[in-house]
Amino acid sequence: MTPAPGGDAPPDGRRGAAPHRASRPSRLRWVLIITAPFLVAVAVVVAAPHADDAFLVLSELPPSASIVAGAALFAEAASLTAASRATRVVLGPVAPAFRHVLAVDLVAQGVRSVLPGGAATSAGLRISLLHRFDVPVPIAASAATTGVVVSNTVLGALFISGVALTAWHGRPSPGVTLLVGAVLALAVAVGLGCALVARRSDGVRKGAVRLTAPLRRAVGHPSEATIVGYVDGLALGMSRLRSARTLATLLTWVGCNWAADLVAFGLMLVAAGARLPWPVVVLAYGIANVLATVPISPGALGLVEGAAVTTLHVAGVPTSVALLGVLGWRAVEYWLPMLAALVVAPFLLASTRRRGGASSWSRLRSRQLTPRRSYRGPTR
């Protein structure tokens, strides 16, 4: 988890003392100190010994490989589109036009991809940009929190499904039943938890503060205001998902987002010359993306590549082929959206300037909808 975009301010809204502010550069410096050797180690251990072989495989690919890679690019574009559609669902009636939501998501994703633990900064930027399109701050923050919970839940189910499918491939095993049961148990637990947050937010808020007290005392983070704000934002988002139609629409778009990205991953492996069962593709994809939620490096750079290549190598794919396929997928999943964010950002900022920022109605509604305790933004 990463700190909320507003910082670790106390519940009364005042900033911490000077030593607390000074600790932020120190934490960032330690993150960079830990991250740099990790990335170098991944490059040396995983990529460097097989770089020449990967280039050789690339030079010998047939012309049809470029067509498959182009299909992977379109699949990734569909994934980004589905993610923005899901964002519009959780924003509800106040959602801006789709092109604006897509631009905001691209810029926020670009920020998250260049900063260690950049999810907090990305969430704050997304909330600020949506506010410029007349989305009240509490609704924008609640949408971000709800979207992260639903998206990570679907990812967890995808990962467990990959494990189950891999275990099933070849011959059934008794563990498959347990894994399928785990998926169902996860779905039930999430459903009950969301219902509890929506109906008993006060009790959940007090329980969350009490349960996280030992961790907060030990590491000094996150603050009580962050915990309270997270629960309040999730409760506001869950209240909209009481509609079965809204929930089904959101799950559909989130599922399309992950499915299209998974297809892009598989197509890039096929373009690189890998031939392996789809259950193994699902498993490698799930492992890589679950590890991507750990805020070790910007956009989990190095961690995702190392995990995916290692999993594919264990599954029998030549390391050079796995490296080429994974790097091709990361090119369309990580690097191209970052370049798109650089192109879109000036037009998005110009568009918000022409609108003159948030309207007076939006500011009024923001004050009316703001929870009693300030919401510091989502974590991811």
Side-chain angles (χ1 to χ4, degrees), residues 185-203:
L186 175 64
V188 172
V190 170
L192 292 176
C194 292
L196 187 63
V197 169
R199 297 177 181 274
R200 298 286 187 270
S201 59
D202 289 340

PDB file of all heavy atoms in Angstrom, residues 185-203:
ATOM      1  N   ALA A 185     -15.329 -18.559  -2.572  1.00  0.00           N
ATOM      2  CA  ALA A 185     -15.259 -17.973  -1.234  1.00  0.00           C
ATOM      3  C   ALA A 185     -14.804 -16.516  -1.300  1.00  0.00           C
ATOM      4  O   ALA A 185     -15.299 -15.656  -0.555  1.00  0.00           O
ATOM      5  CB  ALA A 185     -14.303 -18.782  -0.354  1.00  0.00           C
ATOM      6  N   LEU A 186     -13.850 -16.235  -2.208  1.00  0.00           N
ATOM      7  CA  LEU A 186     -13.395 -14.862  -2.379  1.00  0.00           C
ATOM      8  C   LEU A 186     -14.531 -13.965  -2.844  1.00  0.00           C
ATOM      9  O   LEU A 186     -14.716 -12.858  -2.327  1.00  0.00           O
ATOM     10  CB  LEU A 186     -12.241 -14.824  -3.383  1.00  0.00           C
ATOM     11  CG  LEU A 186     -11.712 -13.440  -3.762  1.00  0.00           C
ATOM     12  CD1 LEU A 186     -11.108 -12.753  -2.550  1.00  0.00           C
ATOM     13  CD2 LEU A 186     -10.687 -13.542  -4.891  1.00  0.00           C
ATOM     14  N   ALA A 187     -15.303 -14.462  -3.821  1.00  0.00           N
ATOM     15  CA  ALA A 187     -16.420 -13.662  -4.320  1.00  0.00           C
ATOM     16  C   ALA A 187     -17.452 -13.399  -3.228  1.00  0.00           C
ATOM     17  O   ALA A 187     -17.951 -12.276  -3.079  1.00  0.00           O
ATOM     18  CB  ALA A 187     -17.073 -14.380  -5.504  1.00  0.00           C
ATOM     19  N   VAL A 188     -17.753 -14.435  -2.437  1.00  0.00           N
ATOM     20  CA  VAL A 188     -18.722 -14.269  -1.349  1.00  0.00           C
ATOM     21  C   VAL A 188     -18.192 -13.300  -0.298  1.00  0.00           C
ATOM     22  O   VAL A 188     -18.920 -12.428   0.201  1.00  0.00           O
ATOM     23  CB  VAL A 188     -19.052 -15.636  -0.715  1.00  0.00           C
ATOM     24  CG1 VAL A 188     -19.896 -15.463   0.542  1.00  0.00           C
ATOM     25  CG2 VAL A 188     -19.779 -16.518  -1.716  1.00  0.00           C
ATOM     26  N   ALA A 189     -16.902 -13.443   0.057  1.00  0.00           N
ATOM     27  CA  ALA A 189     -16.316 -12.571   1.074  1.00  0.00           C
ATOM     28  C   ALA A 189     -16.326 -11.119   0.635  1.00  0.00           C
ATOM     29  O   ALA A 189     -16.637 -10.211   1.416  1.00  0.00           O
ATOM     30  CB  ALA A 189     -14.885 -13.025   1.383  1.00  0.00           C
ATOM     31  N   VAL A 190     -15.976 -10.894  -0.635  1.00  0.00           N
ATOM     32  CA  VAL A 190     -15.985  -9.511  -1.133  1.00  0.00           C
ATOM     33  C   VAL A 190     -17.396  -8.948  -1.137  1.00  0.00           C
ATOM     34  O   VAL A 190     -17.631  -7.797  -0.746  1.00  0.00           O
ATOM     35  CB  VAL A 190     -15.368  -9.465  -2.550  1.00  0.00           C
ATOM     36  CG1 VAL A 190     -15.592  -8.089  -3.183  1.00  0.00           C
ATOM     37  CG2 VAL A 190     -13.886  -9.767  -2.489  1.00  0.00           C
ATOM     38  N   GLY A 191     -18.365  -9.779  -1.567  1.00  0.00           N
ATOM     39  CA  GLY A 191     -19.744  -9.320  -1.570  1.00  0.00           C
ATOM     40  C   GLY A 191     -20.239  -8.959  -0.184  1.00  0.00           C
ATOM     41  O   GLY A 191     -20.860  -7.906   0.018  1.00  0.00           O
ATOM     42  N   LEU A 192     -19.948  -9.824   0.805  1.00  0.00           N
ATOM     43  CA  LEU A 192     -20.361  -9.543   2.174  1.00  0.00           C
ATOM     44  C   LEU A 192     -19.652  -8.316   2.736  1.00  0.00           C
ATOM     45  O   LEU A 192     -20.266  -7.490   3.434  1.00  0.00           O
ATOM     46  CB  LEU A 192     -20.084 -10.761   3.060  1.00  0.00           C
ATOM     47  CG  LEU A 192     -20.935 -12.008   2.789  1.00  0.00           C
ATOM     48  CD1 LEU A 192     -20.484 -13.162   3.676  1.00  0.00           C
ATOM     49  CD2 LEU A 192     -22.413 -11.710   3.004  1.00  0.00           C
ATOM     50  N   GLY A 193     -18.364  -8.199   2.425  1.00  0.00           N
ATOM     51  CA  GLY A 193     -17.621  -7.033   2.910  1.00  0.00           C
ATOM     52  C   GLY A 193     -18.146  -5.734   2.345  1.00  0.00           C
ATOM     53  O   GLY A 193     -18.295  -4.745   3.065  1.00  0.00           O
ATOM     54  N   CYS A 194     -18.443  -5.723   1.047  1.00  0.00           N
ATOM     55  CA  CYS A 194     -18.980  -4.510   0.424  1.00  0.00           C
ATOM     56  C   CYS A 194     -20.356  -4.163   0.985  1.00  0.00           C
ATOM     57  O   CYS A 194     -20.663  -2.993   1.225  1.00  0.00           O
ATOM     58  CB  CYS A 194     -19.053  -4.693  -1.088  1.00  0.00           C
ATOM     59  SG  CYS A 194     -17.440  -4.783  -1.902  1.00  0.00           S
ATOM     60  N   ALA A 195     -21.178  -5.200   1.212  1.00  0.00           N
ATOM     61  CA  ALA A 195     -22.500  -4.951   1.798  1.00  0.00           C
ATOM     62  C   ALA A 195     -22.371  -4.395   3.207  1.00  0.00           C
ATOM     63  O   ALA A 195     -23.121  -3.486   3.609  1.00  0.00           O
ATOM     64  CB  ALA A 195     -23.310  -6.240   1.798  1.00  0.00           C
ATOM     65  N   LEU A 196     -21.408  -4.902   3.965  1.00  0.00           N
ATOM     66  CA  LEU A 196     -21.191  -4.415   5.323  1.00  0.00           C
ATOM     67  C   LEU A 196     -20.731  -2.963   5.325  1.00  0.00           C
ATOM     68  O   LEU A 196     -21.189  -2.151   6.140  1.00  0.00           O
ATOM     69  CB  LEU A 196     -20.154  -5.297   6.022  1.00  0.00           C
ATOM     70  CG  LEU A 196     -19.914  -5.031   7.510  1.00  0.00           C
ATOM     71  CD1 LEU A 196     -21.181  -5.299   8.300  1.00  0.00           C
ATOM     72  CD2 LEU A 196     -18.765  -5.900   8.015  1.00  0.00           C
ATOM     73  N   VAL A 197     -19.820  -2.620   4.390  1.00  0.00           N
ATOM     74  CA  VAL A 197     -19.355  -1.237   4.301  1.00  0.00           C
ATOM     75  C   VAL A 197     -20.499  -0.307   3.936  1.00  0.00           C
ATOM     76  O   VAL A 197     -20.629   0.801   4.479  1.00  0.00           O
ATOM     77  CB  VAL A 197     -18.213  -1.130   3.266  1.00  0.00           C
ATOM     78  CG1 VAL A 197     -17.907   0.325   2.960  1.00  0.00           C
ATOM     79  CG2 VAL A 197     -16.962  -1.822   3.778  1.00  0.00           C
ATOM     80  N   ALA A 198     -21.353  -0.739   2.995  1.00  0.00           N
ATOM     81  CA  ALA A 198     -22.457   0.108   2.555  1.00  0.00           C
ATOM     82  C   ALA A 198     -23.507   0.309   3.642  1.00  0.00           C
ATOM     83  O   ALA A 198     -24.090   1.395   3.757  1.00  0.00           O
ATOM     84  CB  ALA A 198     -23.103  -0.497   1.308  1.00  0.00           C
ATOM     85  N   ARG A 199     -23.759  -0.729   4.466  1.00  0.00           N
ATOM     86  CA  ARG A 199     -24.854  -0.660   5.440  1.00  0.00           C
ATOM     87  C   ARG A 199     -24.389  -0.279   6.837  1.00  0.00           C
ATOM     88  O   ARG A 199     -25.178   0.256   7.622  1.00  0.00           O
ATOM     89  CB  ARG A 199     -25.571  -2.016   5.498  1.00  0.00           C
ATOM     90  CG  ARG A 199     -26.237  -2.411   4.188  1.00  0.00           C
ATOM     91  CD  ARG A 199     -26.855  -3.788   4.303  1.00  0.00           C
ATOM     92  NE  ARG A 199     -27.477  -4.191   3.045  1.00  0.00           N
ATOM     93  CZ  ARG A 199     -28.716  -3.889   2.686  1.00  0.00           C
ATOM     94  NH1 ARG A 199     -29.484  -3.185   3.508  1.00  0.00           N
ATOM     95  NH2 ARG A 199     -29.210  -4.292   1.521  1.00  0.00           N
ATOM     96  N   ARG A 200     -23.151  -0.573   7.188  1.00  0.00           N
ATOM     97  CA  ARG A 200     -22.648  -0.311   8.536  1.00  0.00           C
ATOM     98  C   ARG A 200     -21.306   0.408   8.457  1.00  0.00           C
ATOM     99  O   ARG A 200     -20.315  -0.045   9.017  1.00  0.00           O
ATOM    100  CB  ARG A 200     -22.488  -1.633   9.300  1.00  0.00           C
ATOM    101  CG  ARG A 200     -23.762  -2.422   9.507  1.00  0.00           C
ATOM    102  CD  ARG A 200     -24.649  -1.762  10.574  1.00  0.00           C
ATOM    103  NE  ARG A 200     -25.801  -2.622  10.894  1.00  0.00           N
ATOM    104  CZ  ARG A 200     -26.961  -2.547  10.250  1.00  0.00           C
ATOM    105  NH1 ARG A 200     -27.122  -1.673   9.254  1.00  0.00           N
ATOM    106  NH2 ARG A 200     -27.960  -3.346  10.589  1.00  0.00           N
ATOM    107  N   SER A 201     -21.303   1.527   7.760  1.00  0.00           N
ATOM    108  CA  SER A 201     -20.029   2.224   7.538  1.00  0.00           C
ATOM    109  C   SER A 201     -19.420   2.737   8.843  1.00  0.00           C
ATOM    110  O   SER A 201     -18.196   2.742   9.005  1.00  0.00           O
ATOM    111  CB  SER A 201     -20.229   3.388   6.563  1.00  0.00           C
ATOM    112  OG  SER A 201     -21.181   4.308   7.057  1.00  0.00           O
ATOM    113  N   ASP A 202     -20.257   3.168   9.796  1.00  0.00           N
ATOM    114  CA  ASP A 202     -19.714   3.664  11.067  1.00  0.00           C
ATOM    115  C   ASP A 202     -18.969   2.556  11.814  1.00  0.00           C
ATOM    116  O   ASP A 202     -17.856   2.757  12.317  1.00  0.00           O
ATOM    117  CB  ASP A 202     -20.845   4.213  11.948  1.00  0.00           C
ATOM    118  CG  ASP A 202     -21.421   5.516  11.405  1.00  0.00           C
ATOM    119  OD1 ASP A 202     -20.712   6.163  10.601  1.00  0.00           O
ATOM    120  OD2 ASP A 202     -22.551   5.868  11.770  1.00  0.00           O
ATOM    121  N   GLY A 203     -19.597   1.359  11.889  1.00  0.00           N
ATOM    122  CA  GLY A 203     -18.944   0.256  12.569  1.00  0.00           C
ATOM    123  C   GLY A 203     -17.677  -0.190  11.860  1.00  0.00           C
ATOM    124  O   GLY A 203     -16.671  -0.495  12.502  1.00  0.00           O
TER     125      GLY A 203
END
